[in-house]
Amino acid sequence: PLYQQDFERLSAFQGSFLIDNYSDVGFNAGLLHREYVESKDRIFGANVFYTHRSQGGNDFHQMGFGVETLGSYLDWRANGYIPLGDSFQVPNSGGGVTDAMFSGRSILVNFIADKPLTGFDTEVGGVLPGSLDIFRAYAGLYGFTGDYSDDVWGYQGRLEARLQDAGVASVA
């Protein structure tokens, strides 16, 4: 923690390094703050993150922001994502113009490019009844939009097992 006041306030740095199956790399780094409000028996938090990701030889940057409230039985989280920099980039392989055809007096072109999208995700969930606070279930929504791209909307779910105080296993 960067700052901690008893069990009431916590500010911390969190970061991670990423590498995928294609040897593309990335990282994220951010700050988070959480406060316990005894009168409501809830934790309220906020975070801000910077993410860098290399994909297909191109670099992408984004800022992320989030809020959360966590309780003994019910939790809620929401995050927003804002891309920084170029609007789209052609991948080093497999990108660019893939097809062209005439339509009347126009030429229609299919084009493949990597593009960061602006978006959000949110989830709500909590303790599964009868699980003694070991198992939790969450359901949520996400949406991403951008110029020259179809919008992406969907739902997500995950199960979480709190096996001991120091560890959590999660399946999405």
Side-chain angles (χ1 to χ4, degrees):
L2 298 172
Y3 171 78
Q4 184 171 354
Q5 179 183 350
D6 299 325
F7 293 102
E8 293 178 4
R9 290 180 181 81
L10 172 74
S11 295
F13 169 82
Q14 183 178 349
S16 63
F17 176 76
L18 312 164
I19 187 165
D20 67 16
N21 292 341
Y22 303 103
S23 298
D24 291 327
V25 296
F27 71 90
N28 67 24
L31 297 172
L32 62 95
H33 180 77
R34 287 181 172 166
E35 288 197 25
Y36 175 69
V37 178
E38 187 174 0
S39 63
K40 298 189 182 297
D41 192 27
R42 296 198 68 75
I43 296 170
F44 294 91
N47 65 70
V48 59
F49 276 83
Y50 167 78
T51 301
H52 170 267
R53 176 84 186 239
S54 291
Q55 182 173 322
N58 294 312
D59 293 320
F60 297 96
H61 308 270
Q62 82 175 11
M63 291 298 298
F65 306 91
V67 293
E68 65 186 353
T69 178
L70 312 172
S72 297
Y73 301 102
L74 188 65
D75 302 334
W76 173 77
R77 294 177 178 89
N79 298 293
Y81 309 98
I82 300 170
L84 306 172
D86 294 324
S87 58
F88 71 91
Q89 298 179 17
V90 178
N92 286 347
S93 63
V97 176
T98 62
D99 190 19
M101 67 186 85
F102 285 101
S103 176
R105 293 181 160 180
S106 301
I107 299 176
L108 303 179
V109 177
N110 287 330
F111 192 84
I112 295 178
D114 292 332
K115 177 173 180 25
L117 302 175
T118 300
F120 78 95
D121 64 67
T122 185
E123 72 175 5
V124 65
V127 177
L128 288 174
S131 72
L132 305 175
D133 196 22
I134 295 173
F135 297 103
R136 291 178 172 243
Y138 295 88
L141 302 171
Y142 62 85
F144 293 90
T145 64
D147 295 335
Y148 313 110
S149 173
D150 292 338
D151 293 347
V152 178
W153 299 93
Y155 54 90
Q156 59 193 9
R158 68 183 178 95
L159 296 173
E160 185 177 281
R162 296 181 177 192
L163 306 175
Q164 50 183 299
D165 288 341
V168 173
S170 184
V171 176

